[in-house]
Amino acid sequence: MAQYIPLIHDYCDRWCDHCAFKERCAYIQGKLDISENEEPLKMIAWESKQYGLEMDERATSIMTLENVAQIEELLENEELVKAATEFRDRMKTLLEDFSYWTKMATDRVKQTVSRARDGGEILQEVRLMDKCRDLLCWDFIFIGAKVRRAVAGQLMCQTNEGPQCDSNGSAKVALISVKRSLIALRQLFKFSREDDRFLVPLSLLARIEKLLKEKFPNADDFIRPGFDTEIALMQKQEALGECLN
Protein backbone atom coordinates (compact mmCIF):
# COMPACT_ATOMS: atom_id res chain seq x y z
CA MET A 1 0.00 0.00 0.00
CA ALA A 2 1.41 3.41 -1.04
CA GLN A 3 2.47 5.84 1.66
CA TYR A 4 0.88 9.07 0.47
CA ILE A 5 2.57 12.39 1.16
CA PRO A 6 0.00 14.68 2.85
CA LEU A 7 -0.90 17.83 0.85
CA ILE A 8 1.79 17.26 -1.80
CA HIS A 9 -0.73 18.12 -4.53
CA ASP A 10 -1.39 21.57 -3.06
CA TYR A 11 2.06 22.89 -3.95
CA CYS A 12 2.95 21.15 -7.20
CA ASP A 13 2.73 22.41 -10.78
CA ARG A 14 -0.08 19.96 -11.71
CA TRP A 15 2.17 18.52 -14.45
CA CYS A 16 1.65 14.94 -13.33
CA ASP A 17 3.36 13.33 -16.34
CA HIS A 18 6.67 14.85 -15.22
CA CYS A 19 6.25 14.16 -11.49
CA ALA A 20 8.39 11.65 -9.61
CA PHE A 21 5.78 11.38 -6.85
CA LYS A 22 2.73 10.17 -8.77
CA GLU A 23 2.55 6.94 -6.80
CA ARG A 24 2.68 8.84 -3.51
CA CYS A 25 0.09 11.50 -4.39
CA ALA A 26 -3.37 10.74 -3.03
CA TYR A 27 -4.90 13.30 -5.38
CA ILE A 28 -3.67 11.74 -8.62
CA GLN A 29 -4.35 8.26 -7.29
CA GLY A 30 -7.94 9.23 -6.48
CA LYS A 31 -7.49 8.54 -2.76
CA LEU A 32 -7.77 12.09 -1.40
CA ASP A 33 -10.29 12.65 1.39
CA ILE A 34 -11.03 16.39 1.38
CA SER A 35 -12.61 16.10 4.81
CA GLU A 36 -9.05 15.74 6.12
CA ASN A 37 -7.88 18.75 4.16
CA GLU A 38 -9.76 21.63 5.77
CA GLU A 39 -7.17 24.41 5.70
CA PRO A 40 -6.21 24.59 2.01
CA LEU A 41 -9.71 23.80 0.75
CA LYS A 42 -10.80 27.40 0.29
CA MET A 43 -7.61 28.17 -1.66
CA ILE A 44 -7.99 25.07 -3.83
CA ALA A 45 -11.48 26.30 -4.63
CA TRP A 46 -10.12 29.75 -5.40
CA GLU A 47 -7.40 28.38 -7.69
CA SER A 48 -9.92 26.16 -9.47
CA LYS A 49 -12.03 29.23 -10.11
CA GLN A 50 -9.11 30.83 -11.94
CA TYR A 51 -9.05 27.84 -14.31
CA GLY A 52 -12.81 28.05 -14.80
CA LEU A 53 -13.46 24.79 -12.93
CA GLU A 54 -16.40 24.02 -10.67
CA MET A 55 -15.95 22.86 -7.07
CA ASP A 56 -18.44 21.01 -4.89
CA GLU A 57 -21.06 22.79 -2.78
CA ARG A 58 -18.90 22.70 0.34
CA ALA A 59 -16.02 24.50 -1.38
CA THR A 60 -18.40 27.00 -2.96
CA SER A 61 -19.90 27.87 0.43
CA ILE A 62 -16.42 28.50 1.84
CA MET A 63 -15.68 30.80 -1.09
CA THR A 64 -18.88 32.73 -0.41
CA LEU A 65 -17.95 33.23 3.23
CA GLU A 66 -14.68 34.81 2.11
CA ASN A 67 -16.51 37.50 0.13
CA VAL A 68 -15.26 36.51 -3.31
CA ALA A 69 -16.44 39.65 -5.08
CA GLN A 70 -14.47 41.94 -2.77
CA ILE A 71 -11.30 39.88 -3.05
CA GLU A 72 -11.57 39.77 -6.84
CA GLU A 73 -11.88 43.54 -6.99
CA LEU A 74 -8.75 43.94 -4.87
CA LEU A 75 -6.91 41.40 -7.02
CA GLU A 76 -7.57 43.28 -10.24
CA ASN A 77 -5.81 46.33 -8.78
CA GLU A 78 -2.72 44.41 -7.68
CA GLU A 79 0.37 45.24 -9.77
CA LEU A 80 1.61 41.65 -9.54
CA VAL A 81 -1.70 40.22 -10.76
CA LYS A 82 -1.81 42.73 -13.62
CA ALA A 83 1.67 41.68 -14.76
CA ALA A 84 0.74 37.99 -14.60
CA THR A 85 -2.45 38.63 -16.55
CA GLU A 86 -0.61 40.57 -19.26
CA PHE A 87 1.98 37.79 -19.50
CA ARG A 88 -0.80 35.22 -19.91
CA ASP A 89 -2.52 37.22 -22.66
CA ARG A 90 0.67 37.90 -24.61
CA MET A 91 1.86 34.31 -24.37
CA LYS A 92 -1.55 33.01 -25.46
CA THR A 93 -1.30 35.09 -28.64
CA LEU A 94 2.28 33.96 -29.30
CA LEU A 95 1.71 30.27 -28.55
CA GLU A 96 -1.41 30.12 -30.71
CA ASP A 97 0.43 31.54 -33.73
CA PHE A 98 1.06 28.08 -35.19
CA SER A 99 2.34 29.45 -38.51
CA TYR A 100 5.14 31.21 -36.63
CA TRP A 101 6.27 28.05 -34.84
CA THR A 102 6.03 26.02 -38.05
CA LYS A 103 8.15 28.59 -39.86
CA MET A 104 10.82 28.46 -37.13
CA ALA A 105 11.15 24.71 -37.59
CA THR A 106 10.89 24.84 -41.39
CA ASP A 107 13.64 27.45 -41.67
CA ARG A 108 15.98 25.11 -39.82
CA VAL A 109 15.09 22.15 -41.99
CA LYS A 110 15.94 24.27 -45.06
CA GLN A 111 19.38 24.89 -43.58
CA THR A 112 19.89 21.12 -43.44
CA VAL A 113 18.76 20.65 -47.04
CA SER A 114 21.16 23.34 -48.21
CA ARG A 115 23.85 21.76 -46.03
CA ALA A 116 24.44 25.09 -44.33
CA ARG A 117 24.31 23.30 -40.98
CA ASP A 118 24.64 19.78 -39.63
CA GLY A 119 21.40 17.79 -39.66
CA GLY A 120 21.93 16.33 -36.20
CA GLU A 121 22.50 19.77 -34.73
CA ILE A 122 19.33 21.08 -36.37
CA LEU A 123 17.31 18.11 -35.08
CA GLN A 124 18.45 18.74 -31.50
CA GLU A 125 17.59 22.41 -31.87
CA VAL A 126 14.08 21.71 -33.18
CA ARG A 127 13.46 19.23 -30.36
CA LEU A 128 14.60 21.78 -27.79
CA MET A 129 12.31 24.39 -29.36
CA ASP A 130 9.39 21.97 -29.02
CA LYS A 131 10.21 21.29 -25.37
CA CYS A 132 10.46 25.01 -24.62
CA ARG A 133 7.12 25.64 -26.26
CA ASP A 134 5.48 22.71 -24.45
CA LEU A 135 6.71 24.06 -21.12
CA LEU A 136 5.43 27.56 -21.88
CA CYS A 137 2.07 26.14 -23.00
CA TRP A 138 1.75 24.60 -19.54
CA ASP A 139 3.10 27.47 -17.46
CA PHE A 140 1.63 30.57 -19.07
CA ILE A 141 -1.77 30.04 -17.42
CA PHE A 142 -0.47 28.20 -14.36
CA ILE A 143 1.75 31.13 -13.29
CA GLY A 144 -1.20 33.51 -13.28
CA ALA A 145 -3.37 31.09 -11.32
CA LYS A 146 -0.70 30.60 -8.64
CA VAL A 147 -0.01 34.33 -8.44
CA ARG A 148 -3.71 35.01 -7.90
CA ARG A 149 -3.93 32.25 -5.29
CA ALA A 150 -0.90 33.65 -3.44
CA VAL A 151 -2.17 37.23 -3.45
CA ALA A 152 -5.73 36.19 -2.61
CA GLY A 153 -4.43 34.12 0.30
CA GLN A 154 -2.49 37.08 1.60
CA LEU A 155 -5.57 39.29 1.36
CA MET A 156 -7.69 36.69 3.16
CA CYS A 157 -5.26 36.24 6.05
CA GLN A 158 -6.14 38.23 9.14
CA THR A 159 -2.80 37.56 10.83
CA ASN A 160 0.78 36.76 9.85
CA GLU A 161 0.83 32.98 9.58
CA GLY A 162 4.60 32.74 9.13
CA PRO A 163 6.62 31.21 6.28
CA GLN A 164 4.60 27.96 6.21
CA CYS A 165 1.33 29.58 5.08
CA ASP A 166 -0.58 28.80 1.88
CA SER A 167 0.17 32.14 0.23
CA ASN A 168 3.92 31.57 0.59
CA GLY A 169 3.56 28.04 -0.77
CA SER A 170 1.65 29.28 -3.80
CA ALA A 171 4.18 32.07 -4.34
CA LYS A 172 7.03 29.56 -4.21
CA VAL A 173 5.42 27.34 -6.83
CA ALA A 174 4.78 30.41 -9.00
CA LEU A 175 8.44 31.41 -8.67
CA ILE A 176 9.60 27.96 -9.73
CA SER A 177 7.44 28.11 -12.85
CA VAL A 178 8.56 31.68 -13.57
CA LYS A 179 12.23 30.67 -13.39
CA ARG A 180 11.86 27.70 -15.71
CA SER A 181 9.73 29.74 -18.14
CA LEU A 182 12.48 32.36 -18.19
CA ILE A 183 14.94 29.62 -19.16
CA ALA A 184 12.62 28.47 -21.97
CA LEU A 185 12.00 31.98 -23.30
CA ARG A 186 15.69 32.89 -23.22
CA GLN A 187 16.50 29.72 -25.14
CA LEU A 188 13.89 30.54 -27.78
CA PHE A 189 15.22 34.08 -28.04
CA LYS A 190 18.68 32.66 -28.80
CA PHE A 191 17.15 30.79 -31.74
CA SER A 192 15.50 33.93 -33.10
CA ARG A 193 17.45 37.01 -32.03
CA GLU A 194 16.12 39.10 -34.90
CA ASP A 195 12.58 38.61 -33.57
CA ASP A 196 11.59 40.87 -30.66
CA ARG A 197 8.31 39.12 -29.88
CA PHE A 198 9.98 37.31 -26.96
CA LEU A 199 11.28 40.50 -25.37
CA VAL A 200 8.02 41.70 -23.78
CA PRO A 201 7.17 38.29 -22.23
CA LEU A 202 10.75 38.08 -20.93
CA SER A 203 10.42 41.53 -19.40
CA LEU A 204 7.05 40.66 -17.84
CA LEU A 205 8.40 37.43 -16.34
CA ALA A 206 11.37 39.26 -14.84
CA ARG A 207 8.94 41.78 -13.35
CA ILE A 208 6.68 39.04 -11.98
CA GLU A 209 9.68 37.38 -10.37
CA LYS A 210 10.79 40.67 -8.78
CA LEU A 211 7.31 41.49 -7.46
CA LEU A 212 6.79 37.97 -6.10
CA LYS A 213 10.04 38.17 -4.14
CA GLU A 214 9.11 41.60 -2.80
CA LYS A 215 5.56 40.67 -1.83
CA PHE A 216 6.42 37.21 -0.48
CA PRO A 217 9.95 37.51 0.94
CA ASN A 218 9.54 34.24 2.87
CA ALA A 219 8.34 32.18 -0.10
CA ASP A 220 11.68 30.40 -0.54
CA ASP A 221 11.49 29.26 3.09
CA PHE A 222 8.22 27.42 2.51
CA ILE A 223 8.72 23.65 2.75
CA ARG A 224 6.65 21.90 0.08
CA PRO A 225 5.57 18.43 1.21
CA GLY A 226 7.61 15.86 -0.67
CA PHE A 227 9.36 18.22 -3.07
CA ASP A 228 11.46 20.01 -0.45
CA THR A 229 12.16 17.08 1.85
CA GLU A 230 15.16 14.76 1.87
CA ILE A 231 13.42 12.46 -0.62
CA ALA A 232 13.26 15.23 -3.19
CA LEU A 233 16.78 16.44 -2.51
CA MET A 234 18.05 13.12 -3.87
CA GLN A 235 16.61 14.19 -7.22
CA LYS A 236 17.93 17.75 -7.14
CA GLN A 237 19.82 17.33 -10.41
CA GLU A 238 16.48 16.88 -12.19
CA ALA A 239 15.01 20.06 -10.73
CA LEU A 240 14.47 23.46 -12.39
CA GLY A 241 15.38 22.70 -16.00
CA GLU A 242 14.20 19.06 -16.08
CA CYS A 243 11.78 19.55 -18.94
CA LEU A 244 14.41 21.22 -21.10
CA ASN A 245 17.10 18.52 -20.86
Side-chain angles (χ1 to χ4, degrees):
M1 181 173 168
Q3 182 180 358
Y4 298 122
I5 301 173
L7 305 185
I8 188 173
H9 65 285
D10 283 343
Y11 306 105
C12 68
D13 61 6
R14 300 291 194 271
W15 205 346
C16 301
D17 289 343
H18 293 271
C19 183
F21 296 98
K22 286 186 289 187
E23 300 300 321
R24 302 190 61 192
C25 175
Y27 179 82
I28 195 62
Q29 297 298 325
K31 302 295 183 181
L32 180 66
D33 181 2
I34 63 172
S35 66
E36 299 176 359
N37 202 15
E38 293 284 349
E39 287 302 315
L41 180 60
K42 66 182 180 182
M43 294 314 304
I44 293 174
W46 182 277
E47 184 181 1
S48 297
K49 191 173 185 296
Q50 310 314 314
Y51 284 110
L53 303 176
E54 293 295 331
M55 294 293 288
D56 58 26
E57 292 181 2
R58 182 158 163 268
T60 303
S61 66
I62 291 176
M63 293 293 293
T64 302
L65 291 174
E66 294 296 345
N67 195 347
V68 177
Q70 182 181 11
I71 296 296
E72 284 187 338
E73 183 178 352
L74 291 171
L75 277 176
E76 297 309 317
N77 293 319
E78 281 283 342
E79 188 177 2
L80 174 55
V81 174
K82 288 180 180 179
T85 301
E86 184 178 355
F87 172 74
R88 179 201 65 195
D89 293 344
R90 285 184 176 272
M91 285 306 302
K92 183 176 186 295
T93 299
L94 176 58
L95 292 168
E96 289 182 350
D97 187 354
F98 300 114
S99 61
Y100 172 73
W101 296 99
T102 301
K103 184 177 183 303
M104 282 186 71
T106 302
D107 287 348
R108 280 155 180 77
V109 172
K110 288 179 180 177
Q111 292 175 13
T112 301
V113 174
S114 66
R115 298 189 177 182
R117 294 179 62 189
D118 177 71
E121 179 185 345
I122 290 294
L123 180 60
Q124 287 183 352
E125 196 169 292
V126 171
R127 285 176 175 171
L128 182 54
M129 285 168 48
D130 285 341
K131 287 183 179 181
C132 288
R133 186 178 180 277
D134 285 347
L135 187 149
L136 291 167
C137 281
W138 188 264
D139 275 349
F140 87 99
I141 294 178
F142 180 79
I143 288 171
K146 281 298 181 181
V147 163
R148 292 179 70 93
R149 172 169 166 168
V151 177
Q154 195 176 68
L155 291 171
M156 290 177 184
C157 287
Q158 300 299 316
T159 59
N160 182 5
E161 297 180 335
Q164 206 61 22
C165 65
D166 184 84
S167 56
N168 277 330
S170 298
K172 181 170 186 175
V173 177
L175 278 168
I176 291 171
S177 290
V178 165
K179 289 175 182 177
R180 72 184 185 188
S181 290
L182 277 169
I183 292 173
L185 277 173
R186 285 168 181 159
Q187 185 64 64
L188 289 170
F189 183 62
K190 286 181 182 178
F191 293 150
S192 185
R193 288 192 177 277
E194 74 282 359
D195 194 336
D196 63 359
R197 70 182 66 198
F198 294 110
L199 293 179
V200 173
L202 276 168
S203 176
L204 284 168
L205 271 185
R207 181 161 184 73
I208 292 168
E209 183 178 32
K210 177 176 179 292
L211 291 172
L212 273 169
K213 289 180 177 179
E214 290 176 352
K215 196 169 186 62
F216 302 95
N218 296 318
D220 285 337
D221 296 329
F222 183 91
I223 305 299
R224 295 177 301 150
F227 299 105
D228 296 329
T229 61
E230 292 183 8
I231 297 174
L233 291 177
M234 294 171 60
Q235 305 166 12
K236 189 156 183 143
Q237 292 182 346
E238 301 176 10
L240 188 59
E242 179 182 6
C243 298
L244 302 181
N245 293 330

